[in-house]
Amino acid sequence: VEEATVRRGLNEVFLNIARRSQTLLHRQLALLDKMERRETEPQELEDLYRVDHLATRMRRHAEDLVILAGAAPGRGWRNPVPVIDVIRGAISEVEDYKRVDIVVAPPFTSLRSVQVVLEQDHIPIALGAQDVFWAESGAYTGEISAPMLAKLTVRYVIVGHSERRQHFGETDETINKKAKAVVAGGMAAIVCVGETLEEREADQTESVVSGQVTAGLRGLQLDDPLKLSIAYEPVWAIGTGRTAFPDDAATIASAIRE
């Protein structure tokens, strides 16, 4: 038997398992929701155990098939699905969600998996990416370009996330180049801005954020204003237990608009 034939057969089996696993997951979430509301019957508790057992067996079987097919036995393909189901449940229950765009931005390795789930189940959530490189092509090993993301129907791309500013040394100049690449690729840029704790304590918040906005958007050509969002995300709120209050955010939002 030719290797290609074996791989096609394994892929078909794997896809069937993935679909059945998703069905079981939906059942699990429904039963867990009833448990939280203390509305489950004894028979349903047994059903939950049975469904969980079946789902675990199917996941293990799927991983075995991935190994047989010659792919790495990674676990990223299934991680985003429960999160998406939770978000979808919230969207269906809260009226305000219809007034905004909902975006989920998984790691690069999970983009394709999430794209399939969103499209197959017609979930009203846009696909986003956590970062991008500014050049369309070239010798930039390990980087992900805007055209690559666009092929996966990514609609939003985060640039200048505070963690990337803090840990990877991203500057307003590189963020500006990334934002331009995103817009040129037909996607919407979510440009993150925010001050450090030292800058906040020195009462420099507005001047720092205004400077980041000015430098980050310099020369950016927008045919559609919806292709740009600015997210205020102070660096001092990362892993410190401190959060920005609504009044703080409102003040910065006003400064950004000006």
Side-chain angles (χ1 to χ4, degrees), residues 2-256:
E2 293 183 0
E3 180 182 355
T5 303
V6 175
R7 288 181 180 275
R8 282 197 298 271
L10 287 172
N11 286 338
E12 290 178 5
V13 174
F14 178 75
L15 287 174
N16 287 332
I17 290 176
R19 294 188 188 100
R20 293 184 63 188
S21 294
Q22 186 175 349
T23 301
L24 288 172
L25 175 63
H26 292 167
R27 178 60 177 157
Q28 283 177 294
L29 292 173
L31 290 172
L32 288 171
D33 184 58
K34 293 190 69 175
M35 283 184 65
E36 290 182 358
R37 299 197 305 266
R38 300 179 182 275
E39 297 176 358
T40 49
E41 301 293 335
Q43 180 59 39
E44 289 180 316
L45 291 176
E46 295 180 8
D47 191 27
L48 176 61
Y49 173 78
R50 182 179 62 82
V51 169
D52 183 67
H53 180 66
L54 284 173
T56 300
R57 287 183 59 188
M58 291 181 70
R59 284 194 293 266
R60 289 175 179 170
H61 185 39
E63 288 175 356
D64 290 341
L65 286 175
V66 172
I67 295 171
L68 286 172
R75 304 177 187 276
W77 64 271
R78 69 174 186 245
N79 286 342
V81 177
V83 178
I84 294 172
D85 276 303
V86 170
I87 297 173
R88 175 167 53 178
I91 290 175
S92 64
E93 296 175 4
V94 181
E95 186 69 23
D96 285 347
Y97 280 119
K98 296 179 181 179
R99 305 174 186 174
V100 298
D101 291 330
I102 310 298
V103 183
V104 58
F108 287 127
T109 52
S110 296
L111 281 173
R112 174 58 177 166
S113 300
V114 175
Q115 176 205 11
V116 171
V117 173
L118 295 178
E119 292 181 355
Q120 286 187 348
D121 290 0
H122 305 288
I123 303 174
I125 300 175
L127 183 61
Q130 296 180 3
D131 190 31
V132 69
F133 190 64
W134 58 77
E136 287 191 10
S137 61
Y140 304 105
T141 300
E143 295 295 340
I144 308 296
S145 68
M148 292 178 184
L149 296 177
K151 287 183 179 179
L152 290 172
T153 66
V154 168
R155 290 173 51 195
Y156 294 84
V157 183
I158 301 171
V159 296
H161 191 284
S162 54
E163 291 173 356
R164 296 200 61 84
R165 289 180 184 265
Q166 182 180 26
H167 300 304
F168 297 95
E170 292 202 354
T171 65
D172 292 332
E173 180 183 2
T174 59
I175 291 166
N176 176 257
K177 292 164 70 174
K178 289 184 176 185
K180 290 178 178 177
V182 171
V183 173
M187 298 169 289
I190 302 175
V191 179
C192 300
V193 296
E195 79 284 10
T196 63
L197 181 60
E198 292 76 13
E199 291 166 339
R200 177 180 175 81
E201 292 178 342
D203 198 26
Q204 298 175 345
T205 296
E206 289 192 31
S207 61
V208 168
V209 171
S210 296
Q212 290 174 341
V213 172
T214 301
L217 305 185
R218 183 174 289 117
L220 184 63
Q221 301 295 323
L222 287 174
D223 295 329
D224 182 357
L226 296 180
K227 292 296 184 182
L228 172 68
S229 297
I230 300 176
Y232 172 56
E233 185 191 37
V235 178
W236 53 265
I238 301 175
T240 62
R242 302 178 62 175
T243 57
F245 291 102
D247 288 346
D248 297 325
T251 299
I252 299 304
S254 177
I256 291 173

